Amino acid sequence: MTDATVVTDVDLARLRRCVELAADARARGDHPFGSLLVTADGRTVEALNSVVTRGDPTGHAETNLVRAAAASLSAQVLATSTLYTSTEPCAMCAGAIYWSGIARVVYGLSEAGLRQLVAAQEGVPTMELPCREVFARGGRPVAVAGPADLPEATTVHAGFWV
């Protein structure tokens, strides 16, 4: 049995897909973030950031993913699923993940790493609140693995936040 808080080679492959989704979001004019959910039986749901293209400040990749996954999967399935994301979930996204019942989160770039790249998004400073702290305030455990050693999770942001 593996430790759910350790990033595995399988996790890294899935995180690379998240970075591809982040690049897709960036290419269409959104912020460079992408997420996917993998169920225990291998089904996947993918989502991209849509803050700019939908004009929705809550359109982060993770919240979009939680909405899509909850609409198509049961609470029992979500409770055994893993959410992968190119960058550590913000406080809003961590709250959505917590309330969805998703069991595990794996991320590439840390919030601290993102903060070094961008001090503000559309003039709003980023929140300095790691997802582990948000999850720790809840009444159920959420396993967290990350940040991952994945340089492309940083590279996808290069030149975007200037």
Side-chain angles (χ1 to χ4, degrees):
M1 180 181 234
T2 60
D3 180 350
T5 63
V6 173
V7 178
T8 67
D9 288 341
V10 170
D11 293 334
L12 285 172
R14 291 173 175 162
L15 287 173
R16 285 186 183 94
R17 175 64 185 146
C18 291
V19 173
E20 290 172 1
L21 294 168
D24 291 347
R26 180 178 178 160
R28 73 175 190 197
D30 280 303
H31 301 165
F33 301 100
S35 297
L36 69 92
L37 180 123
V38 179
T39 66
D41 64 3
R43 290 177 282 169
T44 62
V45 180
E46 296 182 343
L48 293 82
N49 182 287
S50 62
V51 168
V52 176
T53 56
R54 290 193 183 158
D56 177 2
T58 68
H60 292 194
E62 299 92 340
T63 54
N64 289 339
L65 182 63
V66 166
R67 287 182 195 107
S72 63
L73 302 169
S74 70
Q76 293 79 13
V77 170
L78 291 175
T80 60
S81 296
T82 298
L83 184 147
Y84 295 88
T85 189
S86 58
T87 303
E88 181 175 1
C90 72
M92 175 185 69
C93 293
I97 294 163
Y98 175 81
W99 289 113
S100 74
I102 293 168
R104 181 174 182 246
V105 173
V106 182
Y107 65 88
L109 179 64
S110 70
E111 178 189 341
L114 178 65
R115 206 167 163 81
Q116 291 176 358
L117 300 172
V118 56
Q121 299 174 30
E122 277 77 49
V124 179
T126 59
M127 294 181 74
E128 192 171 346
L129 183 59
C131 69
R132 284 178 175 87
E133 288 187 36
V134 176
F135 296 139
R137 301 292 192 264
R140 70 169 185 86
V142 177
V144 179
D149 184 13
L150 194 69
E152 53 265 54
T154 300
T155 305
V156 74
H157 293 275
F160 184 83
W161 303 102
V162 290

